[in-house]
Amino acid sequence: MSDERGIPRREFLKSAIAIGGTAAFSACLGREEVDVPTGPDDLSSYPQRQHAWNEVLPRDDHGNIIAPSHRVLLYLNYRRDGQPNEDDRDQVETALRGIEHAYERSGDGLLLTVSYSPAYFYRFDDSLPDDVDLPDPEALAPFEEPEFDTPDAVVHLASNTAQVVLGAEEALKGNKSTLNGVDQPDAALTDVFSLADRRTGFIGDGLPAENADDAEGVPADKVPEDAPLFMGFKSGFKKNQASEDRVTIQSGPFAGGTTQHISKLQLNLNQWYNQDDRWQREAKMFCPYHAENDVIEGAGDNLGTSSKIDDCQPTDETAREMGVVGHSQKSARARDDDDSPLILRRDFDSTDGGAASLHFLALQRRITDFVDTREAMNGTDVTEQSAVGQRNNNGILQYIRTERRGNFLVPPRSLRALPPGQPAGDAQEVTHESS
Amino acid sequence: MNRRDVLRAVGGTSLIGLAGCAGLFETRSARAPPLPENRPDAVYYPTHYEGMKMPGMKEQGGYRCAITYSYAHRFWLMKPNGITKVEIQPEDSIHLMPVVWETQTGIIPPDINPQLTITQNGESIDQFAPWPMLSQPMGFHFGDNAQLQGDGTYTVEVSIGGPSTRRTGSLAENQGNTSFTFEFEFSESTLNEISYTDIPDDKEGTKGAVDLMDMEMLPNSQVPTPDALPGDVRGSETSGDAKFAITVVEDASRFGGDEEQKYLAVSPRTPYNRTMLPMMSLSATLQRDGTSVFDGILQATIDSDLRYHYGTTVADVLTGDELTITVDSPPQTARHEGYETAFVDMPDVQVTL
Ligand code: HEM
């Protein structure tokens, strides 16, 4: 389907997300023929875990979760100095409920989380409970110098339907009196918060190729037509992701919550596609064994439910003997005693600022889990002992540059509106009446 | 002779057979003429070599950085089972090489991989981490072809991180993490002033190497001649056309051992130019009267006297000990013409000490 100017439908939709605003939203409505069910009147059955998305997301033929394709991250600063008051909390909760009534909680509907930074929690006299590991962001490799994101809160909006993400955002900004036919409350998130930054993106088969024109430096016609990510491979296999249980905080007043790390990684696709060959891309993304044995077809859907990393030799052996190590191979060194990865990746590509990049959003029980995983990915130990360089032949480090990092706490649903630093033990019961 | 002249000469003589498309491809074919036939599995004279320009040099945090460039180049990337040729793309305007060195020692650390950001009036033009590379005239350097947008002023930011190769003594103190910003005036006509030297047909493709460029103000990436190496130099052998100088240093305390121990150091270098050969995996065995007294890896290390080398501490080294050095991975640096067929297949090196 095309609009009058002949822009293919999907191509229009992704640009709309990047542009945002009411005009983009209305334009979307006209072009995206979907009927997204509204949410329930009674939201009390919604899970305490804001990050419990998997149960409502579609799966591919192998049973891997398909990540929601359209994303917006709203970076917000609380307008009030000092501690939040109840009015503000009500306002935030009411605004969030407004969009939840408008769209059902599903892949085609709306998925969202609200999270808070260490900077937000500094306003309280009491520091966060010991069960919560939420340090300030820091550089996580000897060779990076990122800027740190310190806004108070981040709202993550996700859907397979572009207009849902845009509509929800507009409603949160107080720009919609009705949304999907549902009256919106007279409460805007932006009355309580100011917008510090807006980041957008996409993930899913074909979207990167369609978005390639929006970004500088993406080699024309090189991103495979069916790839879900700019770098050409499928990611997020079932067995290479932590479960939602694995990343959930187990005890204390924030039990049911999780921590979130968001980095912005700039991609260099020219070297990746125009200089490296397919062998190198497979070896560097997965491991040399996969490249040698043609394990990966196309984007790698044939791999099934895992990246088959068990077939790779140990990372240090590959480094010594082949002079190159794969990203997946290295990262898989950060696993727990049950052989589970430590982080749940919900990353997505972006053309924000006209450059190909990736918003690497990861959930983990403790930020330390992310730090350990990133350390495994840096492979500094491997470079010291082998021909593998700091970036050269070192997974995908040659092609990514960390621009920004931020840490956030995704509290349980009952605490998602301006949580205190030390909620009372019964905080989870202090939920707002379902409206 | 500058490149223009070569173009003229080429247009008039050897490429006459291509007359039909000479106009179209003249620039590119002159920059990258056909490779010599029958290249040896050794260092060879390339078809041509080029000079370079240095628009600026800065000092910061114990490091100096010079920004240098030349014509866009073809080069090769390493794979465990061969090499991948990187062709010049139509959009490539220059070969950009940020040269970073430790101010005090002049050592160019191969483990500190710079990141480049090129902007123009605040607009992003290109950003990448250049490859570690070996070239005959430039030695070891970081470089890649960059895509500029015509004549104009560009801002090039070179940022460097911390080291990841072991360093000895005070060299270990410098943790890097700094950046250098250059204003870079680029024009096609200045680029074309860079010298371009054709190597005669009967010489190109034969064993040998063009000399290192005489780079005023820039350090080179050479390692010491064997007799200038510290310690007791016990031999020099060849593998894959690389030379391996072997020395035994008394007192291994500087290298993580103790005073009683010896430090066995292997210093590989290119033939002819003595350019260091970093980013290899080397291991060694030391046999004495048929029994192994050492079997392990040789760790890449940067030392102010030995410079970049590979080594291990051992209890002792006696006359008659049999040393076998295994190249588990050849240098993983990218290669410019004349180096891509050498240092690839590297058999064991055996020396009786
Ligand atoms: C451009 C950026 C990135 C791309 C394209 C990418 C892509 C991939 C791919 C294709 C895989 C293997 C397939 C799978 O998901 O199972 C993988 C695995 C993985 N990646 Fe990344 N990745 C990127 C950045 C990162 C970063 C920044 C981290 C954080 C440390 C990370 C952590 C992991 C982990 C933990 C695994 C699974 C390892 C295991 O099996 O235990 N990735 N990635």
Side-chain angles (χ1 to χ4, degrees), chain A residues 91-132:
Chain A
Q91 180 105 343
V92 170
E93 184 59 29
T94 307
L96 292 170
R97 282 168 182 251
I99 59 173
E100 286 178 326
H101 289 308
Y103 297 120
E104 71 166 13
R105 206 177 77 85
S106 71
D108 289 341
L110 178 66
L111 292 169
L112 78 138
T113 63
V114 188
S115 60
Y116 296 87
S117 68
Y120 166 80
F121 287 105
Y122 287 144
R123 73 191 63 238
F124 301 104
D125 302 331
D126 299 327
S127 53
L128 283 164
D130 289 344
D131 316 87
V132 176

Side-chain angles (χ1 to χ4, degrees), chain A residues 234-237 240 327-328 331-332 335 341 345 360 373 377 396:
Chain A
K234 181 168 173 160
S235 150
F237 293 102
N240 306 97
H327 163 70
S328 318
S331 305
R335 296 253 181 116
R345 291 166 282 140
F360 195 84
T373 306
M377 170 176 163
I396 52 174

Side-chain angles (χ1 to χ4, degrees), chain A residues 108-352:
Chain A
D108 289 341
L110 178 66
L111 292 169
L112 78 138
T113 63
V114 188
S115 60
Y116 296 87
S117 68
Y120 166 80
F121 287 105
Y122 287 144
R123 73 191 63 238
F124 301 104
D125 302 331
D126 299 327
S127 53
L128 283 164
D130 289 344
D131 316 87
V132 176
D133 174 42
L134 186 74
D136 284 325
E138 52 178 9
L140 295 181
F143 47 84
E144 69 174 31
E145 223 176 334
E147 308 218 20
F148 301 120
D149 287 319
T150 54
D152 292 317
V154 170
V155 172
H156 181 188
L157 301 172
S159 176
N160 290 323
T161 317
Q163 62 180 259
V164 168
V165 171
L166 286 172
E169 180 185 353
E170 286 312 302
L172 291 178
K173 289 177 176 165
N175 295 336
K176 309 281 328 162
S177 53
T178 61
L179 184 64
N180 202 23
V182 176
D183 284 342
Q184 290 299 292
D186 187 18
L189 205 62
T190 42
D191 289 343
V192 179
F193 292 105
S194 61
L195 187 62
D197 200 4
R198 177 179 188 272
R199 301 185 196 165
T200 68
F202 48 87
I203 178 170
D205 298 355
L207 288 174
E210 285 167 30
N211 280 273
D213 287 350
D214 285 11
E216 288 280 327
V218 184
D221 304 325
K222 289 291 171 71
V223 179
E225 289 293 318
D226 59 342
L229 286 167
F230 272 134
M231 294 189 81
F233 294 108
K234 181 168 173 160
S235 150
F237 293 102
K238 201 157 86 178
K239 295 185 180 154
N240 306 97
Q241 286 276 46
S243 67
E244 285 172 354
D245 283 346
R246 177 67 184 80
V247 304
T248 300
I249 296 170
Q250 298 295 302
S251 57
F254 289 103
T258 184
T259 73
Q260 173 175 270
H261 180 85
I262 312 177
S263 52
K264 181 171 188 225
L265 309 178
Q266 200 75 36
L267 301 176
N268 181 341
L269 299 171
N270 178 41
Q271 287 178 337
W272 184 246
Y273 283 115
N274 287 331
Q275 300 190 344
D276 281 304
D277 63 14
R278 171 85 190 176
W279 192 99
Q280 282 155 323
R281 286 192 291 275
E282 290 179 4
K284 292 177 184 182
M285 186 61 84
F286 292 86
C287 66
Y289 176 91
H290 285 23
E292 284 293 289
N293 297 286
D294 289 327
V295 172
I296 306 153
E297 288 164 23
D301 189 56
N302 68 305
L303 293 171
T305 53
S306 89
S307 56
K308 297 208 162 36
I309 235 60
D310 294 344
D311 294 343
C312 306
Q313 288 151 301
T315 305
D316 44 356
E317 238 173 84
T318 313
R320 294 277 320 161
E321 284 159 23
M322 310 199 84
V324 53
V325 290
H327 163 70
S328 318
Q329 179 184 26
K330 259 185 309 168
S331 305
R333 298 183 302 165
R335 296 253 181 116
D336 66 14
D337 294 342
D338 301 324
D339 205 30
S340 163
L342 310 180
I343 68 174
L344 172 53
R345 291 166 282 140
R346 287 192 170 150
D347 53 302
F348 50 94
D349 278 339
S350 178
T351 55
D352 286 350

